[in-house]
Structure formats: C-alpha cells, structure tokens
Amino acid sequence: MNINTNYLKLKDGYLFARIAKAVGEHKEKNPDSEIIRLGIGDVTLPLSNTVTKAMQSAVSEMGNAETFKGYGDYEGYMFLRQAICGYYVGKGVTLQTDEIFVGDGAKSDIANMLDIFSPENTVLIPNPVYPVYVDTNIMSGRRIVYMNGNADNDFKPLPDKNIKADIIYLCSPNNPTGAVYTREELTLWVQYALENDAVILFDSAYEAFIQDKTLPTSIYQIERAKECAIEFCSLSKTAGFTGTRCGYTAVPKELFRSSESLNKLWLQRQSTKFNGVSYIVQRGAQAVFSQDGFDEVMKSVTYYMNNATIISDTLTKLGISYTGGRNAPYIWLRCPGDMQSWEFFDKLLAEANIVGTPGAGFGANGEGYFRLSAFGKREDVSEAMIRLKRLV
Ligand code: PLP
C-alpha cells in the first residue's frame, strides 16, 4: 500500500491555517485586544432578500410531495443554466446551456478540472497567485513553471514564446494583486494558447468587481477564446455565497484537445464523481440573476468597493504604494520600510490588532507585499485605517 507522496511535497500548513494560529496566540496573550480581520477574503454581508426568499420557497417545495425534487441534472438545473447564459449575453458572449456546468464553487471545479488532463502536462502559473492552482498541481505531480508577476509588469505576466506550457492559469481580477488583464493582454494569451495547443484555465471569480467598462469580464470576450479556454466563475464573492456554495464553469463545445471534446470529458467527469448542487441553492443562485436579485447583489459589491476606496485612499495619504482596489476587492501593498511580509504581518497584529495576509503566502514574488481585503464591515475598515495611520 502506498500513499500519494506528492502530498508530502506540499508546503507545511495552508497559509490561512498559519495566520489563524498566529492570531490565536496573539489573542491568548492579549485577551482584551479588539482584532480587525482584513485577512481572509470572506464576505461579511448577508445573502440578499430576493435570494433568501427564493431559497425559502425552494425549501417549501422540497417539503411537499407534489414539488419535491430528488437528484438533479449533473450539469445543474436548466433554469439556472439559462439564467447564467442570459448573464453572459449582457457581456456580449453567447454560450449554450450545455456549455455551462453548475458546481459548488470555483475552488472545486478548478481543482477537479485537472482530472481531464494528463499528469504529463506542464502547467504555467503566475506568481503571486491564489495558492490552489499550485497545490492541486503538486498533489497530482505535474511539472509547474512559474511566470513572474511583479511591479514592472503591474503583476500581469504576459506569454513568453520560449516557454512551452500545456495548461495556463490566469486569474483576472487577480487574487491577491487586484490586477486585471486588458483585452489586448488577454488577446496575447489566447494567441499563445492557440499556437501552443494549450488550454487556459481562466479564473474570473472576481469579475463582478470590475468597475472599468473597458476591461474584459470574461475571456470569451476575446476572439477565438472558446477554442482554448475554460472559464470558472463563482457566486461566493459576487453574491455572498461563500457559505452557501455555488459557482459555474463554462466549457465551450469548440474546445478540443487530442481530437476529443473537453466539454464531453468534463461532463463525464462530473456525472461520475459529482451529484450536483442542491435544488435549494440553485434556486437561490437563479435569483441572483433576476433583476431585483442582481440589483441587490450589486449594492453589496459597491459597498465592498467603497471599502476598497477607503483603504486605498489611506495608503495614498501614507505614501505606501499599492495595486488593486479599483477593479478588485483586494489591495496589494508594498510593506512599509522594506519589511518582509510576515514581519509586517506580525507588526500589524501586535501593534494595531489588524490581521492581513502576508504576500509571501501567494508565492515567492509576493515577498515584501501584503494583501488587505475589502470584504470587512465598514466600521471595521474605517477603524483599521485609523489604526494604520497611527502605526505608520
Ligand atoms: N478563485 C479565486 C481567485 C479565489 O480567490 C477564490 C476564493 O477565495 C476562489 C476561486 C474560490 O471560490 P469559491 O468559494 O467559489 O470556491
């Protein structure tokens, strides 16, 4: 009997577990401290009224013999896939309902998508980025090549003709840097993927936070992207579904590799290993795309983006350089005084009772940087900025 020894190659302790440990120890030593958490990117506003009502009514349906539902479609209920396709129409993108797969969030789909690709593939991953891309590929033993995101390229690495990759991860708006690729930049990636027979795994979990109308909110806004890209979306941050769990993934029918349809392979994967998202949650998700639901959800997005403005204005006043915060709910700042990420984390926690996320946790290029999340409550964000001003 052998275990998957790739798991032993994972860095000890997930970033947020290490943060939780540090915060726990601080709290033990300082029981009266009022800690403000701007670390983990979890939302704080509740589900919207329209969404909650839709879910309540779905609960009643499930308790009634006439309307009770058992197993649903593996790909998600048609009513939700139609609503998602309608949302894409608003972006100028036409997708068919059988190109949409409803899942329990972007994280699982991003990780599970690797099932349909050979472990021999080389993956290209930006650094810094959401750590799940790296860890899931380490678990499956794939060769990882990193591409450098840094201040020189505004944390938006572009294709390098000398690197041959099969799977490319792009995250736009980016977690943690808040950087968003332009149409021209994404066009370069699509061209690279087509030329190299590669597949782009495009994570657009934060697309709803893009304020600048000239920036793309879907990779399918780029010509021929359907021939080379899979897109992952999430209702977690957009609609407060972090605890409710729902996301969706688009796998276009134009997408073939080794003469096989990736849409067909993904359907096979899902129907074998996944039994769908609950009817109740899918009714709630459908309500997100209704007129009232969408207006309510967008109010929450605006609330978080106003938090982001409060944070970025404070940093500007303090002369601390940063990216993000304009089209993304994350502010990525350079640690003051050339401090290292964990050093600044410790100082902020010890002297201001603020929890942020050390940039080094997102890859080597994050060293010297720090991520603040705009998902907090307004009063907490404002208080944190008062404390930060005092500290710096
Ligand atoms: N992708 C990115 C870039 C994220 O930051 C997150 C969550 O923080 C996810 C995906 C996962 O989202 P979900 O809650 O839908 O699994």
Side-chain angles (χ1 to χ4, degrees):
M1 188 280 181
N2 288 315
I3 56 158
N4 178 353
T5 51
N6 289 321
Y7 275 64
L8 308 179
K9 296 176 196 156
L10 293 167
K11 274 207 201 120
D12 213 15
Y14 182 55
L15 168 67
F16 294 108
R18 187 169 161 192
I19 293 174
K21 188 165 171 270
V23 175
E25 284 167 5
H26 174 77
K27 192 78 193 159
E28 216 167 273
K29 278 189 221 142
N30 310 278
D32 297 331
S33 58
E34 285 187 15
I35 294 173
I36 298 179
R37 291 166 201 273
L38 303 182
I40 292 188
D42 200 357
V43 292
T44 50
L45 294 174
L47 294 172
S48 89
N49 264 339
T50 304
V51 168
T52 314
K53 275 194 203 131
M55 289 184 14
Q56 281 163 342
S57 135
V59 170
S60 302
E61 282 183 69
M62 292 301 261
N64 181 328
E66 256 87 78
T67 47
F68 168 77
K69 305 266 184 305
Y71 289 120
D73 300 335
Y74 300 115
E75 316 92 297
Y77 282 99
M78 185 54 91
F79 61 76
L80 177 53
R81 287 186 282 136
Q82 278 168 344
I84 294 166
C85 288
Y87 181 55
Y88 269 106
V89 169
K91 296 169 184 276
V93 171
T94 308
L95 285 169
Q96 309 301 321
T97 48
D98 54 359
E99 295 178 303
I100 301 290
F101 296 82
V102 175
D104 63 358
K107 188 186 202 172
S108 350
D109 277 9
I110 290 166
N112 294 334
M113 192 55 75
L114 290 174
D115 274 13
I116 70 165
F117 297 110
S118 157
E120 306 297 317
N121 284 327
T122 297
V123 297
L124 189 57
I125 303 184
N127 176 354
V129 87
Y130 182 51
V132 169
Y133 313 153
V134 172
D135 290 349
T136 50
N137 278 289
I138 291 177
M139 287 170 170
S140 52
R142 283 191 182 77
R143 189 172 95 89
I144 301 174
V145 177
Y146 294 98
M147 45 178 163
N148 288 321
N150 49 41
D152 293 339
N153 58 22
D154 294 327
F155 294 98
K156 290 185 288 182
L158 290 173
D160 176 347
K161 286 198 168 46
N162 300 315
I163 295 174
K164 168 84 185 84
D166 306 301
I167 299 172
I168 302 153
Y169 287 82
L170 297 180
C171 181
S172 180
N174 185 280
N175 175 12
T177 68
V180 185
Y181 280 110
T182 63
R183 273 169 200 271
E184 294 70 27
E185 289 161 346
L186 280 189
T187 303
L188 294 176
W189 275 117
V190 167
Q191 281 165 356
Y192 171 92
L194 292 171
E195 278 160 23
N196 289 277
D197 210 24
V199 172
I200 296 173
L201 301 185
F202 190 77
D203 184 348
S204 68
Y206 297 97
E207 54 84 26
F209 293 84
I210 295 179
Q211 312 290 306
D212 179 344
K213 299 275 178 260
T214 66
L215 292 171
T217 56
S218 162
I219 193 156
Y220 303 125
Q221 290 165 334
I222 309 301
E223 213 181 321
R224 296 190 62 200
K226 284 188 187 170
E227 294 165 47
C228 64
I230 293 172
E231 181 161 290
F232 302 89
C233 285
S234 168
L235 295 182
S236 282
K237 311 301 162 81
T238 308
F241 272 57
T242 49
T244 308
R245 310 304 306 147
C246 195
Y248 49 96
T249 293
V251 189
K253 283 188 283 188
E254 284 99 317
L255 184 46
F256 282 80
R257 287 297 177 269
S258 312
S259 312
E260 294 296 333
S261 157
L262 297 194
N263 178 287
K264 195 174 129 212
L265 294 188
W266 180 241
L267 177 59
Q268 262 163 356
R269 192 270 166 212
Q270 290 298 78
S271 50
T272 306
K273 295 196 185 180
F274 183 60
N275 259 340
V277 175
S278 89
Y279 174 72
I280 299 159
V281 169
Q282 292 196 55
R283 278 294 183 200
Q286 178 193 24
V288 170
F289 299 102
S290 68
Q291 192 57 56
D292 286 350
F294 199 70
D295 290 348
E296 289 161 9
V297 157
M298 281 301 137
K299 261 195 204 142
S300 301
V301 167
T302 305
Y303 175 93
Y304 293 133
M305 290 314 287
N306 288 341
N307 282 349
T309 305
I310 293 171
I311 298 172
S312 14
D313 285 353
T314 308
L315 296 177
T316 305
K317 279 191 199 124
L318 293 174
I320 298 173
S321 64
Y322 65 91
T323 59
R326 286 200 187 88
N327 294 294
Y330 295 119
I331 293 93
W332 180 245
L333 58 111
R334 178 96 215 154
C335 298
D338 281 337
M339 259 182 272
Q340 300 273 288
S341 305
W342 280 102
E343 201 187 337
F344 186 56
F345 171 88
D346 288 337
K347 187 176 169 67
L348 210 53
L349 180 60
E351 297 175 29
N353 288 310
I354 299 172
V355 183
T357 314
F362 298 97
N365 286 358
E367 185 53 274
Y369 288 89
F370 202 74
R371 190 192 79 175
L372 290 176
S373 149
F375 287 119
K377 296 204 176 89
R378 177 63 43 79
E379 58 273 24
D380 288 345
V381 170
S382 302
E383 169 62 21
M385 292 305 103
I386 293 169
R387 294 186 196 174
L388 185 68
K389 275 187 210 152
R390 240 183 269 142
L391 181 74
V392 178

